[in-house]
Amino acid sequence: MTTLHEGYFTAGLDADPELAVAIRGELERQRDGIELIASENLVSRLVLEAQGSVLTNKTVEGKPHARYYGGAEFADTIEALAVARAKQVFGAAFANVQPHSGSNANAGVFLGLLKLGDTILSMDTAAGGHISHGHPATLTGRDYTIVRYGVSRETERIDLDQVRDLAKAHAPRLIVAGGSAYPRAIDFAGLRAIADEVGALFMVDMAHFAGLVATGLHPHPFPHAHVVTTTTYKSLRGARGGLALWNDPALSDRIDYGIFPGVQGSVMLHAVAGKAACLGEALRPEFAAYNRAVVDNAATLAETLAAAGIRLVAGGTDTGLMLVDLSNRGVTGDVAAKALEKAGLAVNKNLIPFDPRPPEAPSGLRLSSNAGTARGFGREEFRRIAGFIDRVIANPADEALLGAIHAEVTELCRRFPIYAGL
Ligand SMILES: *Cc1c(COP(=O)(O)O)cnc(C)c1O
């Protein structure tokens, strides 16, 4: 008699048809749909395998070569590889690749560098900032005093004068830059100068443009930032999770202890292996070519949408990400996103700066060229995507039209197949 059910070590997904159907459904959805959600990407088969490996069985705590548990020889190799690659990709002296998510990377850095109640000056969520930078609904929002800066009404870009005024009035310990819906390059030198004026540390969360930073297509947060955080699954096109980077050895213990044991426990070694894999890919020349295409394709999408009379927030994009304002098209972001989904295009509704509408039914949509570029779409395909969007938002309730566009989308996607053999 065995305590294991048949196929325990061999059967895989076949052992759970109910789950298998949903996972295969998701694979088909990714295969046959156009992914425009900025927080997503399509990882390589290498990253997929690293993240789905037996490393999920191994528990380690602490740093490579200084573990609490034994049996960590390969764990040490894997984490040390991820750390070395992260440092090389971003030109940093130190890296911590353990954060389970981008939010944990930020929370760990805050915990390590700040005291309870210290003031953080970060971008308002309504202006494109990320929720993990001190939104009142989060632990960080509760533990620190949060002051928010926004964007200028005219330019819809960060207004350094406003940031300086707020910094002088509130004397933050930390200034945070980077957001989840900010389409323009950020002036890191300008923000660091303000941080220096008020004696604050400066952190950049580059989740949405880390790939561009790695390949020289976006200004580098170093040497301006004291600490840089990022997710590894958006523009970095890799494993789920986050990482933190810095150059000053005096910060090392504080950041490392802030992450563990500060905000999380043992390492997700399978995710760390996935991070090592995507960071290895980021060192290849193909990754630079990919990122150049991300920027080109985003520019093409933005220009084609603008030519169709769709307004782009801040007038366009410097990254793979853009925000469109639908208010002059007589449709809200929620209605547009649902109609686009019916037509086979995944996008998310989004507030635009100074949005008069509520978050549930905002004026905008957020789009990105990350995932489409990963499957090989070029300018021609992104021009077609702009056309699909234009047609859908002109008639979001026309089911026949949505069905017809869905057929075109499927045909387009099948010419750019993903995960053959899965
Ligand atoms: C996506 C994102 C995060 C959070 O990532 P999670 O992995 O969902 O916690 C943090 N910061 C920015 C700027 C992001 O865009």
Side-chain angles (χ1 to χ4, degrees), residues 234-418:
K234 295 173 187 166
S235 59
L236 260 186
R237 213 180 51 180
R240 298 213 70 79
L243 55 85
L245 306 154
W246 63 99
N247 284 315
D248 179 356
L251 299 180
S252 293
D253 281 352
R254 292 163 70 190
I255 294 172
D256 286 338
Y257 285 120
I259 292 165
F260 168 82
V263 298
Q264 60 185 44
S266 57
V267 180
M268 291 205 192
L269 204 57
H270 62 306
V272 168
K275 290 174 200 178
C278 72
L279 290 162
E281 291 172 346
L283 289 165
R284 297 168 59 112
E286 293 88 343
F287 191 67
Y290 163 70
N291 279 284
R292 280 194 297 275
V294 164
V295 172
D296 276 359
N297 287 338
T300 300
L301 180 58
E303 283 158 18
T304 320
L305 290 168
I310 296 169
R311 191 182 83 82
L312 286 130
V313 168
T317 173
D318 298 319
T319 64
L321 179 152
M322 71 204 72
L323 258 188
V324 300
D325 172 6
L326 301 175
S327 47
N328 67 351
R329 297 290 300 254
V331 56
T332 54
D334 54 320
V335 171
K338 283 210 184 85
L340 284 162
E341 184 168 1
K342 284 189 191 162
L345 298 107
V347 305
N348 64 275
K349 63 184 175 190
N350 217 99
L351 288 171
I352 60 169
F354 307 101
D355 204 324
R357 303 193 50 84
E360 316 78 66
S363 299
L365 292 177
R366 187 180 67 155
L367 308 171
S368 158
S369 58
N370 281 342
T373 305
R375 74 187 296 160
F377 290 172
R379 288 201 179 98
E380 179 51 38
E381 287 71 36
F382 275 94
R383 270 192 286 272
R384 277 190 74 188
I385 291 170
F388 295 148
I389 294 172
D390 181 36
R391 285 156 67 198
V392 169
I393 63 177
N395 287 293
D398 183 341
E399 299 283 341
L401 173 78
L402 302 183
I405 292 176
H406 202 165
E408 286 185 59
V409 165
T410 308
E411 177 274 325
L412 175 62
C413 289
R414 295 210 170 144
R415 287 197 285 112
F416 295 85
I418 60 171

Side-chain angles (χ1 to χ4, degrees), residues 39 101-104 106 130 132-133 178-180 205 207-208 231 233-234 241:
S39 46
S101 66
S103 299
N104 278 21
N106 294 337
H130 191 262
S132 65
H133 299 169
S180 57
D205 177 347
H208 279 286
T231 55
Y233 57 87
K234 295 173 187 166

